[in-house]
Amino acid sequence: MIRNASIINVFRVSLALIVIVASASSLSAFWLLEKSEQDAELINVAGSHRMKAYKFALQLSSGKKVQASETAQEIDTLWEQPLLHRHFVKAGGSIQQLAKDARTEWQRVHSEIAEQDFARFSQQQSNAIDNYVNQLDTLVGQLQEHSERRMETVRSSLALASFFIVAIFFFLLTVLKRKINQPLRHLLAVSKRLGQGDFTAKSKIDNEDEIGQLSRTMNKMSETVSYFYGGLERRVEQQTQELSRKNKVLSFLYDTARSIIVHSYDYNNYQQVIEKLYEIGEVNDIELCLLTEEGNRPFLQLQPRPSSHEPCEAGDCATCLKAGPGASVIEDKLVYRFVLKREDQNYGVLIVRCEQGQPLATWQQQLMSSTADQLALSQSLKSEEEQVRRLALMHERTVIARELHDSLAQALSYLKIQVTRLHKGIEKNDRATIDDVSSELREGLNSAYRQLRELLTTFRLKVDGSGLYSALQTTVKQLTEQSNMVVHLDYRLNNIPLVPHEEIHLLQIIREASQNAVNHSQGSEVHISLSQPSGQDVELKITDDGIGLPENAEKVNHYGLAIMQERSRNLGGEIKISRLESGGTEVCFTFTPDYLLQ
């Protein structure tokens, strides 16, 4: 009963009992002491009765009537005192009867002696007074015993109250230890384990009191926190897995996009993409079909290696290309089709098959769609690159045809005319014409051969990834090795973005002008300068310290000058060739770069 009782109620009842017992003992002691307050006075009065009784007997025996009468009057007065009457009434029982008998005895003795006018004092009267005194002694003894019993009652009640209070005190100590101290220590240990994250800690207190209720509440709270903590851990783990998966997906898409931008994808790259997509996309059956622009059947079908699924054997891919978003059910399989389409051009289709009860998640569909878009972009860039190569090849062939027409074709036409003249001279046996034609043929063949070498050099000329400056350094090195002239290069176009055709034309003009200086100037130095002095037009200057421009310069290098002028027109610039006053020749060419014209 105490085990399940309320701690507050136990303390309330115990304190109430202590208060009640203490109050009862105090009130009883007060009441008994109040009743015993005048016991001593009463005993003293009783003693006065005895003393006056002996005095009365002595006065009678001495014949002192007046004094005996006064003493008898005093004894009567003492019997009439309210104190005696009140105490005897309160005492009750034998004491009240003894007091009544003693007073009756006194009245009898007093009346007998008063009738004799206090003159005689016989032995009988003396015996009556002794009897009266003995009654008084008995009365006093009874009063003393009655007072002692009251004191004993007070002592007993106080001792009992003290014992009861001490018992209640030790009872409260026991309750404090068993119902408060030990449970609180247990709850404190459990709370420390909970604070350390051990949600398996449970309180074993099963009382019905306040601490028991607190224990059950703590257990429920622990279970609730453990549930939410476990849920939070699961959510954190799920979010971590989700972030890890998204990171892999983004890394895959980024690497794919970067690879597409850096270099064109070939079919081996597509195989790597499919295998990586198979791993990251968490699918069981994936297939990539690539088609040509006019084709209706795939020329290449790619699957992850190794694959337990056979490639699609459909004879016509129009169904897949025309399929919209979402999945179709084919042979008890959910089939998703992601078309590789860009600018109304279909390059193929990415097919994913899965079980009907396990459709693709949203993130998987987004991954497949993004990958299909990137592969379509790769195919588009590859097609554009091939088209650019075709255009470049056609342009290069046009340039070759133009160069051949402007140089070697004209030289061969001139030689053909000379051959016609030679035939006529031979028919007429015109020795002068034959000699002149022979000289022209020799000079024409030499010129044609030189032009052929220049054309071969021009066709082999290229500007690689190192840029125009590197190509110019190579040209300077070649010119220096081919002659005894010192070639100086002053290049100041590092901060200008020249397009490829500008670099090619500049390089060819520099090579042509420098070659002319090496072959015809008879000087020792050639200076090549490229700059942008006004911040707008690019200026090229090639100077030498030779003999200067001859009078028949067009005759000496007709085709070289024509090539430089043609290239200057292609760049929209102006080329000037002049003779320096100090000696030597200067070729000056200016043009506006393409980035300023846009």
Side-chain angles (χ1 to χ4, degrees):
M1 180 177 179
I2 296 298
R3 179 174 178 271
N4 296 325
S6 171
I7 298 176
I8 302 298
N9 291 336
V10 170
F11 273 84
R12 285 176 179 174
V13 172
S14 300
L15 293 177
L17 289 176
I18 291 175
V19 172
I20 292 172
V21 171
S23 300
S25 61
S26 299
L27 290 175
S28 63
F30 176 78
W31 178 70
L32 291 174
L33 290 175
E34 179 68 21
K35 294 187 68 175
S36 302
E37 181 180 3
Q38 295 176 337
D39 284 352
E41 184 180 358
L42 183 61
I43 294 173
N44 186 37
V45 172
S48 297
H49 274 280
R50 288 187 298 173
M51 186 268 299
K52 290 187 180 296
Y54 284 121
K55 183 180 179 181
F56 177 70
L58 180 61
Q59 288 174 347
L60 284 178
S61 63
S62 302
K64 297 178 180 180
K65 295 189 294 182
V66 177
Q67 288 84 353
S69 176
E70 291 177 355
T71 300
Q73 189 64 38
E74 291 177 357
I75 292 173
D76 288 339
T77 303
L78 288 175
W79 279 112
E80 295 296 333
Q81 286 184 358
L83 175 65
L84 293 177
H85 179 71
R86 185 171 62 253
H87 277 276
F88 291 150
V89 171
K90 289 181 180 180
S94 61
I95 295 178
Q96 185 179 6
Q97 185 63 39
L98 286 174
K100 185 178 180 181
D101 293 343
R103 184 175 182 178
T104 302
E105 182 64 21
W106 164 253
Q107 289 176 350
R108 184 182 66 77
V109 172
H110 184 206
S111 61
E112 289 181 357
I113 295 174
E115 288 177 357
Q116 297 176 5
D117 194 19
F118 301 100
R120 292 180 60 189
F121 184 68
S122 60
Q123 185 63 37
Q124 184 179 1
Q125 292 175 342
S126 177
N127 292 334
I129 290 174
D130 290 336
N131 186 38
Y132 169 65
V133 171
N134 291 331
Q135 289 182 349
L136 287 177
D137 288 339
T138 303
L139 178 60
V140 171
Q142 289 291 328
L143 288 174
Q144 181 180 353
E145 291 179 0
H146 183 66
S147 178
E148 289 176 353
R149 285 195 299 271
R150 287 179 178 175
M151 291 300 103
E152 186 65 27
T153 302
V154 170
R155 285 194 297 271
S156 299
S157 63
L158 290 177
L160 181 62
S162 299
F163 173 78
F164 192 75
I165 290 174
V166 171
I168 294 177
F169 172 74
F170 282 104
F171 170 76
L172 289 179
L173 288 180
T174 303
V175 171
L176 181 65
K177 180 180 179 181
R178 297 182 59 183
K179 294 180 67 67
I180 297 179
N181 189 23
Q182 293 178 351
L184 284 181
R185 288 179 179 273
H186 177 68
L187 289 179
L188 181 60
V190 172
S191 64
K192 285 183 178 180
R193 291 178 60 187
L194 292 176
Q196 294 172 356
D198 183 10
F199 295 105
T200 60
K202 300 294 181 182
S203 174
K204 299 179 180 180
I205 301 174
D206 195 23
N207 300 339
E208 296 297 330
D209 55 13
E210 289 83 355
I211 294 184
Q213 296 176 8
L214 178 61
S215 173
R216 288 189 292 274
T217 303
M218 181 178 290
N219 289 338
K220 291 181 180 179
M221 181 186 69
S222 173
E223 293 175 357
T224 303
V225 173
S226 177
Y227 172 77
F228 282 108
Y229 185 78
L232 182 61
E233 283 187 335
R234 289 191 296 272
R235 290 183 60 188
V236 169
E237 184 178 358
Q238 291 174 357
Q239 292 295 329
T240 302
Q241 293 177 353
E242 184 70 18
L243 289 175
S244 177
R245 183 175 65 242
K246 289 182 178 179
N247 182 54
K248 291 181 180 178
V249 169
L250 291 177
S251 297
F252 166 73
L253 294 176
Y254 171 76
D255 293 339
T256 304
R258 183 181 62 179
S259 300
I260 291 174
I261 294 174
V262 172
H263 58 81
S264 299
Y265 263 24
D266 56 19
Y267 301 129
N268 186 39
N269 296 126
Y270 290 155
Q271 180 66 41
Q272 295 175 1
V273 170
I274 290 301
E275 292 179 356
K276 191 68 174 178
L277 185 62
Y278 172 77
E279 176 185 351
I280 295 177
E282 300 176 6
V283 293
N284 295 325
D285 187 1
I286 185 171
E287 181 179 355
L288 175 65
C289 300
L290 298 179
L291 294 86
T292 61
E293 183 175 355
E294 298 82 8
N296 58 0
R297 294 185 61 184
F299 66 87
L300 184 64
Q301 291 176 279
L302 299 175
Q303 288 182 307
R305 295 174 298 191
S307 177
S308 60
H309 304 279
E310 294 296 330
C312 176
E313 296 181 355
D316 190 353
C317 294
T319 303
C320 292
L321 295 176
K322 295 179 180 179
S328 302
V329 179
I330 301 176
E331 298 179 356
D332 298 330
K333 296 280 188 177
L334 284 177
V335 179
Y336 293 84
R337 302 177 180 90
F338 303 92
V339 179
L340 280 64
K341 186 174 182 180
R342 182 173 177 82
E343 297 179 355
D344 297 329
Q345 175 63 42
N346 293 327
Y347 297 100
V349 61
L350 180 64
I351 303 173
V352 179
R353 303 178 185 89
C354 56
E355 300 296 332
Q356 293 190 31
Q358 298 176 347
L360 292 182
T362 303
W363 70 270
Q364 291 176 309
Q365 297 186 39
Q366 292 175 349
L367 172 62
M368 301 301 168
S369 178
S370 300
T371 305
D373 291 340
Q374 290 191 351
L375 294 179
L377 175 61
S378 173
Q379 286 291 90
S380 177
L381 292 177
K382 188 174 183 180
S383 299
E384 292 177 0
E385 183 178 353
E386 292 175 352
Q387 183 65 20
V388 169
R389 289 177 180 175
R390 294 190 190 99
L391 294 177
L393 180 60
M394 293 176 62
H395 178 71
E396 187 65 23
R397 288 178 176 177
T398 302
V399 170
I400 293 174
R402 183 186 63 201
E403 296 291 346
L404 290 174
H405 177 270
D406 293 342
S407 56
L408 193 57
Q410 293 182 6
L412 293 176
S413 297
Y414 174 76
L415 292 176
K416 185 178 180 180
I417 294 173
Q418 297 302 322
V419 169
T420 302
R421 290 182 58 202
L422 179 60
H423 287 167
K424 291 181 179 181
I426 293 174
E427 291 176 355
K428 296 180 180 180
N429 196 19
D430 186 353
R431 192 64 190 177
T433 301
I434 293 173
D435 292 339
D436 182 59
V437 171
S438 298
S439 177
E440 289 292 336
L441 287 175
R442 186 182 304 108
E443 182 179 350
L445 286 173
N446 291 334
S447 177
Y449 182 69
R450 183 181 61 82
Q451 291 173 14
L452 178 60
R453 286 186 301 170
E454 292 293 335
L455 288 176
L456 292 175
T457 303
T458 300
F459 297 152
R460 290 169 180 165
L461 185 64
K462 65 177 181 178
V463 179
D464 55 18
S466 300
L468 177 61
Y469 180 65
S470 178
L472 288 176
Q473 287 180 321
T474 302
T475 299
V476 169
K477 183 179 179 180
Q478 292 175 352
L479 292 174
T480 304
E481 293 175 352
Q482 294 173 2
S483 67
N484 295 324
M485 296 186 69
V486 179
V487 182
H488 302 279
L489 175 63
D490 182 14
Y491 186 84
R492 302 180 185 179
L493 301 182
N494 292 316
N495 299 320
I496 298 178
L498 296 176
V499 295
H501 78 277
E502 292 175 337
E503 293 179 340
I504 289 292
H505 289 307
L506 278 175
L507 181 59
Q508 183 58 39
I509 292 174
I510 293 172
R511 285 183 63 89
E512 186 67 33
S514 302
Q515 192 68 47
N516 287 340
V518 169
N519 294 334
H520 306 294
S521 69
Q522 301 178 16
S524 61
E525 292 184 354
V526 177
H527 293 269
I528 304 172
S529 173
L530 269 172
S531 62
Q532 192 180 25
S534 63
Q536 295 292 326
D537 292 345
V538 174
E539 182 179 80
L540 167 64
K541 286 185 178 181
I542 303 173
T543 59
D544 61 70
D545 58 352
I547 60 177
L549 189 67
E551 295 180 359
N552 58 344
E554 295 181 357
K555 180 67 175 177
V556 173
N557 192 17
H558 169 72
Y559 297 107
L561 295 178
I563 290 174
M564 288 192 294
Q565 291 174 353
E566 178 65 22
R567 292 189 181 278
S568 66
R569 285 193 296 269
N570 289 334
L571 293 180
E574 180 180 2
I575 190 170
K576 295 180 180 179
I577 303 175
S578 59
R579 183 171 183 171
L580 299 176
E581 295 181 357
S582 59
T585 304
E586 179 184 69
V587 177
C588 183
F589 171 60
T590 59
F591 75 100
T592 303
D594 187 67
Y595 79 94
L596 292 176
L597 298 176
Q598 295 179 357

